[in-house]
Amino acid sequence: MLEQMGKAAKLASYQLAQCSTATKNHVLTVIADLLEKHSTIILKANEQDMLEAKSQGLSAAILDRLLLTKERLIAIANDVRKVISLTDPIGEIIDGSTLENGLKLQRNRVPLGVIGVIYEARPNVTIDIATLCLKTGNAAILRGGKETIHTNTATISIIQQALDKVGLPKTAIQSIDNPDRKYIHELLKLDKYVDMIIPRGGSALHKLCREYSTIPVITGGIGVCHIFMDESMDFDSALPIIINAKTQRPSTCNTVETLLVHTKIANEFLPKLSQIMADNGVVLHADQESFAILESGVANVFPIEDTELRQEWLSKDLNIVIVNSLELAVDHIREYGSGHSEAILTRSLANAEKFVNLVDSAAVYVNASTRFTDGGQFGLGAEVAVSTQKLHARGPMGLEALTTYKWIGFGDDLVRQ
């Protein structure tokens, strides 16, 4: 089955690579319109997925990621339209020069070819990937989690209707609808046809892809994110940022999981933090020093375990750790962070600059919530993933991250001497 899908995807990618920007934007317009026109079908399929997920006792974080509402679906359709408005990177001349021998060289941006994406309970990812791949002339083979099988089937059907309506091959966007995990392993070995694998899920999925794939893998999306509040930061400005980073949508990978507080302000700040966290239903997990301060506060607080510092809560749980210096905060982030998003809250320009320089993550913020690490927020439209590695792509992966380049040489009947 996958051999045939791969072959069809590769053939479709050749046709997509020749499409004009107008044609690609046309199919995206049709997709956005059909998503709204057939929203009832998609939402009904999602209801079925939600019922099965609840019966299986899946966590609140997974249920939140799985859920589609009319408002979320409209937002997804509008995200498609945002991608239409973005500049098409394909064909861009990146740079060029003329050599002494007369050879004119230039680098042109081109599609990658076929993208394989493996993801879990995230039905919006289906649209995000299809949108970005089609805009950049790439074909895609998608393997969503079994939790989203009904939603994905309905969504893929609409995408393929749009492709057919515009005269493009429906095999440009395909989905593996069999939940058997053996197909993941088969996809990871399909290097004859697939040019890149992007896993979107937990650490186990990323580990599986790194170990078994014969195709280049872009890893990321696991967000053990930190905020460091130094001794110069005023409390009234810091608290709304922390609340936003933790509670705006707790199940996302850019949600803060650990708050590092400078020891000089801990005794005064942590009681205020306890109150506002209690008001927002956040449970605290504190190290020994901060627990001594927080246990008399109003928020629920528990002693922290080392394993909790290394995991994504994806819920209204927040780790609290007291540190004696910016350097120790950075050391903590290096030990426990996942290279996703980190932030400093400070009124010191020197501390801000030092933190930015020392922290090695895909996104680093000064006096801003970690929740901004997102393709839409970065002006990239949708995103395929958030890469926490350093080669090819880093951070939210928008259009440019789904391209490569080729060298083109122009000669005047030129031969090498």
Side-chain angles (χ1 to χ4, degrees):
M1 179 182 81
L2 253 62
E3 182 82 12
Q4 294 176 338
M5 290 181 71
K7 190 177 295 185
K10 181 59 77 174
L11 289 172
S13 74
Y14 297 148
Q15 187 171 339
L16 290 174
Q18 305 303 312
C19 286
S20 66
T21 300
T23 298
K24 292 185 287 188
N25 285 343
H26 185 197
V27 73
L28 296 184
T29 300
V30 176
I31 288 172
D33 292 344
L34 289 180
L35 285 173
E36 293 179 341
K37 181 179 179 180
H38 298 300
S39 60
T40 302
I41 296 173
I42 298 172
L43 294 176
K44 188 174 181 181
N46 186 251
E47 284 179 12
Q48 190 173 351
D49 284 329
M50 288 294 294
L51 285 172
E52 292 178 9
K54 288 175 181 176
S55 69
Q56 294 165 15
L58 297 183
S59 70
I62 293 177
L63 291 175
D64 179 63
R65 289 181 173 185
L66 174 60
L67 175 65
L68 277 182
T69 62
K70 188 171 184 178
E71 292 73 24
R72 285 186 180 182
L73 195 54
I74 290 172
I76 290 169
N78 287 332
D79 283 341
V80 176
R81 296 185 177 102
K82 288 177 185 175
V83 173
I84 294 170
S85 68
L86 297 176
T87 301
D88 184 355
I90 301 303
E92 173 195 353
I93 299 174
I94 300 170
D95 52 31
S97 63
T98 301
L99 305 183
E100 290 183 5
N101 60 15
L103 183 65
K104 295 179 180 179
L105 283 176
Q106 66 185 45
R107 287 193 301 153
N108 284 21
R109 200 173 294 284
V110 297
L112 281 165
V114 179
I115 314 297
V117 186
I118 306 165
Y119 54 104
E120 296 173 351
R122 303 165 186 253
N124 63 297
V125 172
T126 304
I127 299 297
D128 290 347
I129 295 163
T131 299
L132 293 176
C133 284
L134 291 172
K135 180 79 175 193
T136 49
N138 292 291
I141 297 175
L142 313 180
R143 200 282 188 181
K146 62 182 180 180
E147 306 87 0
T148 59
I149 190 165
H150 301 294
T151 310
N152 286 346
T153 299
T155 305
I156 291 293
S157 175
I158 287 170
I159 293 170
Q160 292 183 338
Q161 284 180 46
L163 287 164
D164 190 51
K165 188 173 183 179
V166 175
L168 293 175
K170 293 197 288 187
T171 51
I173 304 294
Q174 300 177 80
S175 177
I176 301 170
D177 54 12
N178 190 316
D180 194 325
R181 289 182 64 84
K182 75 175 184 179
Y183 292 110
I184 294 180
H185 289 266
E186 287 187 27
L187 178 59
L188 295 177
K189 303 296 183 184
L190 212 61
D191 53 275
K192 184 176 179 181
Y193 305 110
V194 179
D195 299 284
M196 178 188 288
I197 294 289
I198 302 174
R200 290 191 59 166
S203 57
L205 174 61
H206 287 258
K207 185 173 183 290
L208 173 73
C209 291
R210 286 195 302 268
E211 291 181 356
Y212 290 96
S213 179
T214 57
I215 306 165
V217 177
I218 294 284
T219 57
I222 299 172
V224 183
C225 305
H226 300 75
I227 291 178
F228 168 53
M229 182 170 170
D230 79 0
E231 68 273 29
S232 71
M233 187 64 181
D234 56 288
F235 300 172
D236 289 342
S237 299
L239 287 169
I241 296 172
I242 297 166
I243 286 296
N244 177 264
K246 181 70 261 183
T247 68
Q248 200 255 347
R249 194 173 177 191
S251 64
T252 58
C253 60
N254 52 27
T255 294
V256 67
E257 305 294 12
T258 297
L259 176 65
L260 304 167
V261 180
H262 197 286
T263 187
K264 288 184 179 179
I265 61 170
N267 283 309
E268 185 180 356
F269 175 70
L270 290 181
K272 295 180 183 294
L273 178 76
S274 177
Q275 179 63 61
I276 198 167
M277 288 299 169
D279 293 342
N280 285 273
V282 177
V283 175
L284 303 179
H285 303 261
D287 70 348
Q288 186 174 358
E289 189 176 353
S290 59
F291 186 85
I293 301 171
L294 289 164
E295 64 178 336
S296 59
V298 293
N300 289 329
V301 58
F302 300 93
I304 202 165
E305 302 288 340
D306 185 77
T307 54
E308 293 171 342
L309 292 169
R310 302 179 186 277
Q311 70 182 28
E312 288 181 297
W313 281 111
L314 303 175
S315 59
K316 285 191 174 183
D317 291 83
L318 179 65
N319 303 325
I320 308 295
V321 175
I322 293 176
V323 292
N324 294 327
S325 66
L326 182 149
E327 289 77 13
L328 288 176
V330 171
D331 287 346
H332 181 98
I333 291 169
R334 288 174 177 171
E335 174 65 24
Y336 296 99
S338 60
H340 193 294
S341 302
E342 316 295 351
I344 182 173
L345 307 183
T346 182
R347 291 293 181 250
S348 166
L349 289 175
N351 280 357
E353 183 176 2
K354 179 180 277 191
F355 187 85
V356 168
N357 289 337
L358 291 178
V359 171
D360 185 18
S361 291
V364 183
Y365 298 94
V366 177
N367 297 334
S369 169
T370 56
R371 283 284 290 124
F372 285 102
T373 309
D374 174 88
Q377 294 296 313
F378 275 23
L380 304 176
E383 69 184 33
V384 175
V386 177
S387 170
T388 54
Q389 63 186 47
K390 299 182 182 181
L391 295 179
H392 174 67
R394 198 177 196 193
M397 294 178 61
L399 296 176
E400 192 173 304
L402 293 181
T403 69
T404 183
Y405 58 82
K406 66 171 63 171
W407 288 97
I408 302 174
F410 297 93
D412 185 12
D413 302 331
L414 193 65
V415 295
R416 178 173 173 174
Q417 301 299 320

